[in-house]
Amino acid sequence: STAYFVQPISVPAENKDHYKSAYRVKMMVSDLNSAYFVYNPAGDFSLELFQEQRFTALRMIEDYSDVPSEFLDYYTEMPKGGGFDSLRLLALKIADTAGSAPINKILAIRNFFTAVDSSGNPTFRYSDNPGIPGIPGANRLSHFLFESKKGYCAYYAGATLFLLRALGIPSRIATGFLTVDRSNKNPGWYWFYEDQAHAWVQVWFPGYGWLDFDTTVPSSETQEAPQPDQTPPLTSQTAWFVANGTILSTDKEKARLRMNITDVLFKDLSFKTATPYAYELDISMAKILKDTGMVTTDLLKPGVKIVAVSFSDIFKEINLDKNETWETLQKKWPTPLPIDEIKIIDPVPEEKVNEIQTGKLSIPWIKIAIGCGIALLIATVIALLIPIIIFKWFVFKSSHSENIYRKTYYSYMASMFYLHQLGKKRFGQTPLQFAEKEIDPMWGTGLGKFISTYEKLKYSKSPLSKAEINTLSIHLPEFIKTIKSKIPLSQRIKSFLKINNTIEFFTRPNILGSTKSMEIWKTT
């Protein structure tokens, strides 16, 4: 959907070599979760079930009879003659038995692109190099649909657009980037890579608006872009408007709130009034915060004290006069006031107010001492558990990674971390030397074979054989099983309590040299 708020934010000096620009964006999302409501689930049952719930809702829309004719004509317009007539005939053939509901015709088109031949092979295939870049014309689309059946996203989007319009379904082309939340520190940051550029189609449904429809078939050649090796700090927003007061009433349906405002911090200048003023607030995009974190609007009730904050440029553009007063300032504010955050202020108990006023604050020293003791105990236990948590994390990532590169990388990390924690340290040796000269002769883990295949995966352009892929896939569970059979449980437990080994593993360059080269390989 189209973003209606885009605010450029600064990139810190230390990150300017890595990031050209950054923006904060707000947009609306459909009730049906419009992000790819129709795509190729590639056999994923959970995705198919997720989609079917939305298809059921959309089958309630039987036609476009209530849509204005000007809108419908514009988004179903299609040239006549030449290759476009063949596209019309194909569309009618595809939807011949689909029924009248638009969603059924749309699904028929999806099924057309995902069909397989008598041998079970896909009819259409993805290709990075089918011809001239850009949205192809009628002749190229005809060649794509009827002859080559190979193309990249622009071919699938262009063909789908005209097939939909030939059936009277309003549609349009959308282009942009496929996004993945890649920030470990600041969720909500996205990195856009060139190989994520994409084109797809959006279809119009009354009551829901434009919903994404992507018919591009999966590509077996593409790989996921890597996660960046650093995260820029989240630039703080400028609060132009901060108001204190009490809630008078709320309207959840309209996302409105009436508030008695007593004082305001406007562009860092304080304004206070002897008589509270009632104002209407637009809280449709507001985060509701409490000491415990984000909460729902159910806690916004009459009588509750709140702080309302706005970062809107509407307030930024209001100029202050030299002799500005509350009365003159509040006349410049928009109605309703656009609010981005609401902080609920818990009332202070009356007995606590009396203690503060009299200066007789009771300090519960025993509770503080017990709390500190418990906190110290918990911190100690967590510190002792850090090695096993790290090891289990590597094992988890290896077993749940579908990508062979990531799976092998985490298998390697788990193996080397396990050995280092047990006191077998790879100082001054390559991983392969370490495996073949020390580990395999001692325990027969097969680590050398795994490392050799791992390095072929990293550095060689030759494809792996099925046997080599199997070696990478089964290595870690077999490796752990062998180690457990060679080393008593008590010795393994003592080894994993040595937090200094864990620190050394991540701080000695000659231990993690292979890991760093893997990260560089992933980035390029």
Side-chain angles (χ1 to χ4, degrees):
S1 60
T2 302
Y4 63 87
F5 173 91
V6 180
Q7 178 189 35
I9 54 179
S10 61
V11 177
E14 62 270 21
N15 299 112
K16 288 187 180 296
D17 292 338
H18 300 274
Y19 308 104
K20 294 182 179 180
S21 57
Y23 302 87
R24 182 173 287 106
V25 182
K26 293 181 182 179
M27 63 182 65
M28 299 298 290
V29 180
S30 165
D31 291 339
L32 286 186
N33 189 354
S34 68
Y36 279 73
F37 93 102
V38 174
Y39 40 57
N40 297 321
D44 189 318
F45 176 75
S46 61
L47 288 182
E48 292 177 357
L49 181 62
F50 174 82
Q51 290 176 339
E52 189 57 41
Q53 294 172 350
R54 279 133 185 84
F55 301 159
T56 300
L58 291 172
R59 286 191 178 98
M60 301 297 292
I61 300 171
E62 298 180 354
D63 54 44
Y64 292 99
S65 58
D66 295 332
V67 176
S69 59
E70 294 85 356
F71 177 91
L72 198 60
D73 291 343
Y74 184 84
Y75 285 107
T76 58
E77 183 180 359
M78 182 175 173
K80 296 180 180 180
F84 291 104
D85 288 342
S86 62
L87 296 182
R88 283 190 179 85
L89 293 175
L90 176 61
L92 294 174
K93 180 179 179 182
I94 292 172
D96 182 44
T97 59
S100 60
I103 183 60
N104 291 334
K105 297 178 182 179
I106 291 170
L107 294 179
I109 293 175
R110 183 194 68 173
N111 295 339
F112 170 72
F113 285 110
T114 58
V116 296
D117 59 23
S118 58
S119 302
N121 297 316
T123 304
F124 283 85
R125 298 180 183 274
Y126 187 92
S127 174
D128 284 326
N129 188 29
I132 300 173
I135 304 297
N139 291 335
R140 291 189 175 276
L141 288 179
S142 296
H143 178 74
F144 163 66
L145 287 170
F146 300 108
E147 297 181 39
S148 71
K149 298 187 178 181
K150 291 182 179 180
Y152 53 79
C153 57
Y155 279 71
Y156 287 92
T160 302
L161 176 80
F162 289 119
L163 292 176
L164 288 167
R165 290 192 171 194
L167 297 174
I169 298 175
S171 52
R172 66 185 184 186
I173 292 284
T175 60
F177 292 85
L178 298 174
T179 61
V180 179
D181 193 338
R182 300 178 182 277
S183 170
N184 295 326
K185 300 177 184 177
N186 301 325
W189 280 85
Y190 298 89
W191 284 261
F192 296 125
Y193 294 85
E194 184 177 2
D195 62 2
Q196 290 172 282
H198 194 51
W200 63 100
V201 169
Q202 294 180 325
V203 292
W204 173 268
F205 281 95
Y208 297 106
W210 292 105
L211 301 185
D212 295 312
F213 176 28
D214 191 358
T215 55
T216 302
V217 298
S219 170
S220 59
E221 301 173 357
T222 58
Q223 300 174 13
E224 181 183 358
Q227 179 166 320
D229 55 1
Q230 61 176 322
T231 301
L234 185 60
T235 308
S236 59
Q237 294 175 275
T238 300
W240 304 108
F241 176 91
V242 182
N244 293 310
T246 305
I247 296 176
L248 295 175
S249 63
T250 59
D251 187 337
K252 291 184 179 180
E253 185 175 342
K254 295 183 179 180
R256 295 287 192 269
L257 180 152
R258 285 188 63 79
M259 173 185 180
N260 246 352
I261 296 180
T262 56
D263 57 285
V264 168
L265 189 66
F266 191 84
K267 292 188 175 182
D268 295 330
L269 295 178
S270 179
F271 295 87
K272 191 174 181 65
T273 176
T275 304
Y277 281 78
Y279 293 91
E280 184 176 6
L281 279 57
D282 179 357
I283 60 172
S284 58
M285 294 301 300
K287 294 181 180 178
I288 315 301
L289 305 174
K290 208 170 182 289
D291 289 337
T292 54
M294 289 188 62
V295 295
T296 65
T297 55
D298 293 336
L299 297 184
L300 299 178
K301 299 178 179 179
V304 173
K305 292 185 177 181
I306 61 173
V307 176
V309 182
S310 179
F311 309 111
S312 174
D313 286 347
I314 294 177
F315 291 108
K316 177 184 177 181
E317 295 170 359
I318 295 177
N319 296 319
L320 294 176
D321 297 332
K322 184 177 181 180
N323 299 317
E324 197 77 71
T325 64
W326 174 281
E327 287 72 18
T328 58
L329 176 62
Q330 55 97 17
K331 294 179 181 179
K332 299 178 181 180
W333 294 341
T335 302
L337 301 173
I339 300 300
D340 293 282
E341 290 182 4
I342 290 180
K343 177 65 183 294
I344 297 176
I345 307 299
D346 285 328
V348 181
E350 186 175 344
E351 59 272 17
K352 183 64 66 176
V353 175
N354 293 334
E355 289 181 356
I356 295 173
Q357 291 176 342
T358 59
K360 298 179 180 180
L361 290 175
S362 58
I363 303 176
W365 293 110
I366 296 179
K367 291 183 179 180
I368 292 176
I370 294 175
C372 291
I374 294 174
L376 181 61
L377 178 62
I378 293 174
T380 303
V381 172
I382 292 175
L384 293 175
L385 290 176
I386 284 177
I388 189 64
I389 291 173
I390 292 174
F391 176 67
K392 291 295 185 182
W393 172 248
F394 286 148
V395 174
F396 173 82
K397 292 293 289 183
S398 173
S399 61
H400 287 77
S401 294
E402 296 182 0
N403 186 302
I404 187 63
Y405 301 100
R406 287 181 173 273
K407 183 179 184 67
T408 306
Y409 166 67
Y410 286 111
S411 295
Y412 168 82
M413 289 294 290
S415 302
M416 302 306 286
F417 180 80
Y418 200 180
L419 293 172
H420 193 85
Q421 204 64 36
L422 293 173
K424 300 301 178 183
K425 304 177 181 181
R426 186 180 64 83
F427 295 132
Q429 301 180 77
T430 67
L432 189 58
Q433 291 172 338
F434 177 61
E436 293 180 341
K437 291 183 179 181
E438 293 194 29
I439 305 306
D440 287 344
M442 180 183 300
W443 290 326
T445 60
L447 181 62
K449 183 178 179 182
F450 168 77
I451 294 293
S452 178
T453 309
Y454 172 42
E455 292 183 345
K456 178 180 178 180
L457 176 69
K458 287 168 55 180
Y459 303 117
S460 175
K461 295 183 179 179
S462 301
L464 297 181
S465 65
K466 290 185 178 180
E468 289 172 326
I469 293 176
N470 185 58
T471 296
L472 298 178
S473 300
I474 68 172
H475 162 73
L476 187 57
E478 294 296 328
F479 174 81
I480 296 173
K481 181 179 179 181
T482 302
I483 293 294
K484 287 183 177 180
S485 67
K486 303 291 184 180
I487 300 178
L489 176 62
S490 58
Q491 184 179 342
R492 298 200 308 271
I493 293 176
K494 290 180 182 179
S495 298
F496 268 85
L497 293 177
K498 297 178 180 180
I499 190 67
N500 58 308
N501 279 356
T502 303
I503 296 173
E504 183 182 56
F505 180 80
F506 290 102
T507 56
R508 290 290 293 268
N510 57 342
I511 297 176
L512 281 179
S514 177
T515 305
K516 289 181 179 178
S517 68
M518 178 66 174
E519 290 297 321
I520 294 171
W521 167 79
K522 284 167 61 186
T523 302
T524 56

